Amino acid sequence: MATQTTASCTGSSLLQPISEIINLPLDQVNFVACQLFALLMALLFRIYLHPSKTSPFIRHVVATLLGLYLALFCFGWYCFIVTLGYLIVCQVTRVYVFDYGMYSADFTGPMMVITQKITSLAFEIHDGMTKREGLTPSQKYLAISRMPSLLEYLSYNCNFMGILAGPTCSYNDYMAFIEGTGYRPRHQENANGKENGKYRQSEPSPKKDVISKLCTCAVSLGIYLSLCKLLPVDQSIDDEFVRNTPFPLQIVYLYVAMLALRPKYYFVWTLADAINNAAGFGFNGYNKDGSPRWDLISNLRILDIEFATSFKLFLDNWNIQTAQWLKRVCYERCPINPTAATFLLSAMWHGVYPGYYLTFVTGIGMTMAARAIRHNIRPHFLVSDVHKRVYDVITWAATQVAISYTVVPFVLLTVGPSLKFYRSWYFCLHLLCLLVVLVLPVKSRHRGAKDQQELPQKNQADHNCTDNNCNQKEKAT
């Protein structure tokens, strides 16, 4: 396997012997090695380049140079082009020049994160230096009133903690981290100088959270390597499997196959979060018991994903920072059909594989149907705790099936296999969603606070909210 993808790897070949020994593609070996190196550098960065020991200038320079080196080692020079237009060109190149569907840690990854950061920065500068009026509380917090310097711009986009796998973050949060003030704005003190019943710490330590996240990474990687080849998603379109397997068992297999696929994302995103936390970035206030929270830029909540009782709640906790980006640059600003526009932008951002667009088009229908069911059916199950539990069990099962059904094209990538899968299911969930949307009425929503809740993302409180409220889970929808 390793030798098949070596020619496609645009990064360094230094680790080629290791790639051949462990029989993994060189691009994946480079990626994991660079992330582990970044984790070590993050620990040293926090200890030896602490804001109390050096200037923001030095921190910017070191973060930028390390980030550029890791990107060059892992992906080569392709990752330094930062416009959305060239991102699309690179996505086309990835599909039609390199091996179709084979290149798993492609050079467009860093560019996707950089695209998020550049577009976010542009709107934040616009809000702070041009618009200024009519901003939401979160937009006011994120607004930038001073044009960043070239070094600040490069450090924000290319720092070593997030250049390979993100996650994206706001410019103000990143600058607060660099300047050593990231923990100050989120304090809510009472009259006696305590916060949430405990005295405020001068600077919280991320040690416990980093260790916990690294353990999650190890478990996720072990599960993925153990099950991914045993439960391939494309088995669902195998003619013999479809012909000889009862339909209920096909549903179960699809769910289990998707369940085995998700730990890959859990590993990558949790490791990226741990790297940022190890450097001291990601502090998000305190819990009620006074313990620090390091989830400011976390990209997922695993338990909330696996036990989601609605399509929306699943998406709220999956790729959280990308959902935040979609909300800020598209959903809150698009005057016409923001839901469809947001799904379309998400598909374009992910790439040019047809399966992406099939998934997001299907997702629009799923979102509309789920919203209709919630408004019309859920109130009837709120009369007692027993009825509510029954409703939660049913909606959990329905959500897992709906998510698995929707993302099959995202995994299969191409039109032929994706349509073959949907035909084997007789497009049943497509037709069901259409029927639900046509039959069940849904109240129209106005732009504003309520409208923002429709976006598939976690409705986190604004950055200037209290820490108690920031940590509350959203109710199942």
Side-chain angles (χ1 to χ4, degrees):
M1 180 185 296
T3 57
Q4 292 176 351
T5 59
T6 301
S8 299
C9 183
T10 58
S12 172
S13 59
L14 179 65
L15 301 180
Q16 177 62 33
I18 298 179
S19 172
E20 295 175 351
I21 291 174
I22 63 178
N23 195 31
L24 283 176
L26 178 59
D27 57 282
Q28 295 182 3
V29 174
N30 282 349
F31 176 83
V32 174
C34 284
Q35 286 292 75
L36 293 178
F37 178 76
L39 178 63
L40 175 62
M41 291 298 101
L43 294 171
L44 299 177
F45 188 85
R46 183 171 184 269
I47 295 173
Y48 295 106
L49 294 180
H50 191 273
S52 63
K53 299 180 180 180
T54 188
S55 66
F57 176 82
I58 298 299
R59 285 166 63 85
H60 277 307
V61 170
V62 173
T64 302
L65 293 179
L66 283 174
L68 295 178
Y69 172 75
L70 292 180
L72 180 62
F73 183 92
C74 197
F75 300 108
W77 292 99
Y78 292 94
C79 59
F80 298 115
I81 307 300
V82 295
T83 64
L84 179 61
Y86 192 73
L87 173 63
I88 299 299
V89 172
C90 284
Q91 296 281 16
V92 174
T93 302
R94 171 194 173 195
V95 174
Y96 296 109
V97 177
F98 293 103
D99 296 333
Y100 195 99
M102 292 294 295
Y103 194 59
S104 53
D106 62 282
F107 56 81
T108 58
M111 294 181 56
M112 293 169 72
V113 177
I114 290 174
T115 297
Q116 289 181 327
K117 290 184 176 182
I118 291 177
T119 51
S120 296
L121 184 63
F123 280 110
E124 290 163 7
I125 292 175
H126 168 74
D127 291 342
M129 301 182 67
T130 303
K131 189 177 181 181
R132 296 184 181 178
E133 300 295 333
L135 301 176
T136 66
S138 62
Q139 289 172 345
K140 289 179 181 179
Y141 175 84
L142 298 172
I144 299 171
S145 57
R146 177 185 66 84
M147 189 66 68
S149 67
L150 177 60
L151 178 60
E152 291 169 341
Y153 177 81
L154 290 175
S155 177
Y156 171 61
N157 285 293
C158 303
N159 66 82
F160 73 96
M161 296 98 67
I163 187 135
L164 299 185
T168 189
C169 61
S170 75
Y171 177 80
N172 283 342
D173 286 334
Y174 179 74
M175 288 300 296
F177 154 70
I178 288 293
E179 296 170 357
T181 61
Y183 59 91
R184 295 177 187 172
R186 291 175 177 79
H187 289 288
Q188 287 287 326
E189 296 184 3
N190 56 27
N192 60 7
K194 296 183 179 180
E195 179 180 343
N196 298 332
K198 294 196 174 183
Y199 285 101
R200 184 176 62 186
Q201 303 177 29
S202 59
E203 182 177 349
S205 172
K207 180 179 178 181
K208 181 179 179 180
D209 289 79
V210 170
I211 293 175
S212 175
K213 290 173 183 179
L214 291 179
C215 292
T216 300
C217 289
V219 173
S220 299
L221 183 62
I223 294 175
Y224 174 71
L225 294 178
S226 301
L227 299 179
C228 65
K229 294 182 179 179
L230 296 177
L231 299 165
V233 176
D234 54 10
Q235 178 71 14
S236 296
I237 60 173
D238 180 76
D239 292 333
E240 184 176 352
F241 175 83
V242 173
R243 184 170 53 252
N244 298 328
T245 305
F247 187 68
L249 292 183
Q250 293 185 40
I251 297 176
V252 173
Y253 178 85
L254 179 65
Y255 165 69
V256 175
M258 289 298 178
L259 188 65
L261 187 63
R262 287 198 285 270
K264 174 177 68 174
Y265 299 95
Y266 297 163
F267 168 75
V268 172
W269 288 338
T270 305
L271 178 58
D273 196 20
I275 291 171
N276 281 273
N277 292 167
F281 187 27
F283 175 67
N284 196 26
Y286 294 91
N287 294 306
K288 292 181 178 180
D289 61 359
S291 60
R293 290 172 46 221
W294 289 88
D295 61 354
L296 177 64
I297 55 174
S298 295
N299 229 356
L300 76 169
R301 301 180 182 89
I302 296 177
L303 293 180
D304 289 339
I305 289 171
E306 298 300 340
F307 294 100
T309 55
S310 76
F311 197 85
K312 176 183 180 296
L313 191 58
F314 185 102
L315 297 179
D316 283 351
N317 296 284
W318 175 269
N319 206 354
I320 297 170
Q321 300 308 318
T322 293
Q324 289 280 11
W325 169 71
L326 290 169
K327 172 188 175 183
R328 293 166 182 165
V329 305
C330 182
Y331 191 84
E332 290 182 339
R333 303 175 191 270
C334 183
I336 302 174
N337 203 340
T339 299
T342 300
F343 274 108
L344 177 60
L345 175 59
S346 183
M348 294 176 61
W349 177 78
H350 277 90
V352 297
Y353 283 117
Y356 295 163
Y357 294 84
L358 287 174
T359 288
F360 288 109
V361 168
T362 303
I364 295 174
M366 292 288 181
T367 301
M368 296 174 63
R371 186 182 303 157
I373 291 174
R374 170 178 171 78
H375 283 297
N376 291 274
I377 296 179
R378 185 173 182 268
H380 299 289
F381 285 85
L382 300 180
V383 295
S384 69
D385 291 339
V386 174
H387 287 76
K388 180 62 169 57
R389 293 193 190 97
V390 171
Y391 176 84
D392 288 341
V393 172
I394 295 174
T395 52
W396 171 83
T399 296
Q400 299 304 319
V401 173
I403 287 290
S404 301
Y405 177 91
T406 300
V407 302
V408 165
F410 196 96
V411 177
L412 298 180
L413 300 177
T414 55
V415 174
S418 300
L419 293 182
K420 182 179 181 181
F421 167 78
Y422 283 146
R423 283 196 299 268
S424 70
W425 281 50
Y426 302 101
F427 292 89
C428 59
L429 294 192
H430 286 87
L431 297 175
L432 180 60
C433 287
L434 179 62
L435 179 63
V436 168
V437 171
L438 293 176
V439 172
L440 296 180
V442 179
K443 294 181 180 179
S444 61
R445 295 195 175 195
H446 300 286
R447 298 286 295 167
K450 289 185 178 181
D451 207 25
Q452 293 175 9
Q453 296 175 359
E454 297 177 19
L455 179 68
Q457 60 123 26
K458 182 69 178 175
N459 287 324
Q460 295 171 321
D462 296 319
H463 286 280
N464 56 352
C465 68
T466 64
D467 296 320
N468 289 340
N469 292 333
C470 284
N471 198 36
Q472 290 178 348
K473 287 172 55 178
E474 183 178 339
K475 295 181 179 180
T477 55

